[in-house]
Amino acid sequence: MTETSQRPRPLRVLAAMSGGVDSAVAAARAAEAGHDVTGVHLALSANPQSFRTGARGCCTIEDSRDARRAADVIGIPFYVWDLADRFREDVVEDFVAEYEAGRTPNPCLRCNEKIKFAALLDKALALGFDAVCTGHYAQVIVNEDGTRELHRASDMAKDQSYVLGVLDERQLAHALFPLGDTVTTKDEIRAEAERRGLAVAKKPDSHDICFIADGDTQGFLAGRLGKAEGDIVDESGTVVGSHEGAYGFTIGQRKGLRIGTPAADGKPRYVLDISPVDNTVTVGPAASLDVSGLTAVKPRWCGTAPSGPGIYTAQLRAHGGETEVTAELVDGILEVTFTEPVRGVAPGQAIVLYDDTRVVGSATIATTTRAATAMA
């Protein structure tokens, strides 16, 4: 296997520049490597003022200006592309619909799948570009036969391969991640940006959800879906509280439950289940969050789909750890069994499978199986 993130010939590269430090340094490294780089900032809102401001490094007007200044310093052409309609349909509306259905989506993962490596990549290829470059921390490794694999970043502390687990082999063939193949801390990236004269060197990282201006997810959903009062019940079905919308809760949530009646054992209670059909939220002890298995739908493979059952490690959250699983694709459904029970797994989240550092693929969690110990 030949491990490289660079092709032997210069490429026409479209660098997605969010206005943050990572994407700016990635574009600079691609240009320094000899590629013909053009920068592009994605306008993802018809009203950019409604997106998060304050140097978030994502989608605001100030971010587009920061990206333009960085492109000027690097010495590359720069454009702003309007993908607001696609973003609203594929990311924002999907986000609202998933919560309405009682699931917990990951909008950043959906943005990578539908916007950066679908809409953007398709447009780039149509214009004659060879690849899209982003500031993600991950590696594309080229095998001797020319096939490509997605691997974790060299620096595990910065690895972002989880949110890229939706990419297929075709998309990987046109992806560049210049930050992923070097063990580089964020402080070192900022120092590099400063050496290059990039004004974003000290810009804060982006966090949370870019299209929720004040960070109030529950308020955002209430504005879209309206208030809908319902019951909070314990595992026996006893009403212990009320809520204004089941969509405002996630599996494993502890805070903000507004339960007036304490548990019999005096211990905290957590959200165990969300039922949009009867608008009921079920709460219970932490042990009841333990899950022994799950099924997942809409699998996407970073290469050839695996055949038969296999042993992998799985990651269930963007910043979560790995856990050992046995997984098998059965009639298009991914069936997963955990070697040891895991806690707080929510339908709608993505499960990403790994073979050592290689990303095998991802799927969307549909159902979970409670651990026997929790039901005893």
Side-chain angles (χ1 to χ4, degrees), residues 197-234:
L198 300 171
V200 292
K202 297 180 180 179
K203 186 174 182 179
D205 289 342
S206 58
H207 294 287
D208 303 319
I209 301 169
C210 68
F211 54 84
I212 299 181
D214 58 3
D216 180 7
T217 300
Q218 189 165 353
F220 173 83
L221 292 170
R224 293 299 190 94
L225 300 173
K227 292 184 178 181
E229 293 185 359
D231 293 329
I232 299 176
V233 303
D234 63 18

Side-chain angles (χ1 to χ4, degrees), residues 102-186:
R103 296 186 287 265
T104 304
N106 185 318
C108 294
L109 188 145
R110 195 65 59 230
C111 183
N112 284 328
E113 176 188 0
K114 298 291 188 178
I115 304 300
K116 294 176 182 174
F117 291 96
L120 177 62
L121 178 58
D122 289 347
K123 187 171 182 178
L125 295 177
L127 292 173
F129 288 93
D130 300 303
V132 165
C133 162
T134 73
H136 287 100
Y137 289 79
Q139 297 184 81
V140 175
I141 289 177
V142 184
N143 297 320
E144 291 180 355
D145 62 1
T147 60
R148 288 170 173 80
E149 299 174 352
L150 178 64
H151 283 249
R152 289 193 182 277
S154 297
D155 181 4
M156 282 292 292
K158 293 296 298 177
D159 175 63
Q160 293 177 305
S161 60
Y162 174 86
V163 295
L164 297 171
V166 292
L167 304 187
D168 60 27
E169 191 171 11
R170 170 185 169 273
Q171 292 167 329
L172 289 178
H174 300 285
L176 287 179
F177 306 120
L179 305 188
D181 58 358
T182 56
V183 181
T184 308
T185 67
K186 191 56 177 275

Side-chain angles (χ1 to χ4, degrees), residues 68-79:
R68 181 178 296 278
R69 283 190 287 267
D72 288 343
V73 171
I74 298 167
I76 59 175
F78 178 83
Y79 300 92

Side-chain angles (χ1 to χ4, degrees), residues 330-349:
V330 180
D331 296 328
I333 304 295
L334 187 65
E335 298 183 353
V336 177
T337 302
F338 297 101
T339 302
E340 297 289 340
V342 296
R343 184 162 288 182
V345 181
Q349 292 175 329

Side-chain angles (χ1 to χ4, degrees), residues 3-67:
E3 300 188 3
T4 177
S5 296
Q6 304 291 342
R7 294 165 176 81
R9 64 178 180 85
L11 304 174
R12 287 195 67 206
V13 173
L14 189 69
M17 302 181 69
S18 67
V21 63
D22 290 331
S23 61
V25 172
R29 287 186 177 185
E32 191 173 65
H35 299 306
D36 179 8
V37 180
T38 296
V40 62
H41 179 81
L42 305 183
L44 300 180
S45 174
N47 178 22
Q49 289 91 340
S50 68
F51 279 34
R52 283 204 156 200
T53 58
R56 305 299 301 179
C58 189
C59 314
T60 66
I61 290 176
E62 63 193 77
D63 294 322
S64 68
R65 292 169 179 165
D66 288 341

